[in-house]
């Protein structure tokens, strides 16, 4: 059960071309992932909702994404939910939620 702690699994479509940055401690890739769900309202109309997720990958996972993933591709990811804060250009403190992945599956 310890593997269930802070575990996130998503299947969705890549919303942008993955962005690669190289640091002293390795390569980082960031991208957005859209997951969709639907339901039927009282009038029997199909309503679709889309959630956008910020995805981060490091190391070998980042290299695989850099090599094989492009905008619109459907992928599955597994990782953990993280939060961080930063200061924008105007000095305003912002916070962001990201999923740091350790596995990716290509469809």
């Amino acid at each position: 059960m310890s593997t269930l702690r802070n575990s996130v699994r998503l299947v969705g479509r890549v919303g942008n071309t993955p962005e690669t940055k190289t640091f002293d401690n390795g390569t980082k890739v960031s991208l957005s992932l859209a997951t969709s769900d639907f339901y039927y309202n009282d009038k029997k109309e199909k309503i679709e909702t889309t959630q956008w997720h910020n995805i981060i990958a490091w190391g070998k996972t980042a290299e695989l994404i850099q090599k094989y993933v492009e905008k619109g591709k459907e992928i599955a990811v597994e990782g953990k939910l993280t939060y961080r804060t930063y200061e924008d250009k105007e000095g305003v403190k912002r916070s962001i939620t990201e999923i740091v992945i350790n596995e990716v599956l290509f469809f």
Side-chain angles (χ1 to χ4, degrees):
M1 289 294 258
S2 65
T3 58
L4 294 177
R5 248 174 245 208
N6 194 9
S7 179
V8 177
R9 293 180 182 169
L10 298 171
V11 176
R13 295 210 176 267
V14 176
N16 63 325
T17 301
E19 182 182 324
T20 304
K21 293 184 182 177
T22 303
F23 298 98
D24 291 340
N25 60 346
T27 301
K28 171 186 169 184
V29 171
S30 59
L31 58 104
S32 63
L33 188 71
T35 56
S36 297
D37 198 8
F38 70 90
Y39 63 92
Y40 292 93
N41 65 12
D42 296 339
K43 299 175 186 174
K44 307 292 187 219
E45 299 168 323
K46 185 177 178 179
I47 307 296
E48 185 174 2
T49 60
T50 302
Q51 301 292 319
W52 289 93
H53 311 277
N54 297 312
I55 307 295
I56 303 295
W58 292 91
K60 295 286 185 193
T61 306
E63 290 172 18
L64 287 171
I65 289 172
Q66 182 182 16
K67 190 172 184 180
Y68 297 110
V69 174
E70 57 191 30
K71 181 180 178 177
K73 184 168 182 69
E74 186 175 31
I75 61 172
V77 296
E78 182 177 45
K80 65 181 180 176
L81 196 60
T82 61
Y83 303 96
R84 65 181 175 88
T85 57
Y86 66 95
E87 245 181 60
D88 67 12
K89 294 175 186 173
E90 290 79 38
V92 177
K93 197 171 196 178
R94 306 239 181 227
S95 58
I96 189 168
T97 303
E98 298 171 320
I99 299 167
V100 178
I101 64 168
N102 51 29
E103 286 190 47
V104 61
L105 177 66
F106 307 112
F107 294 110

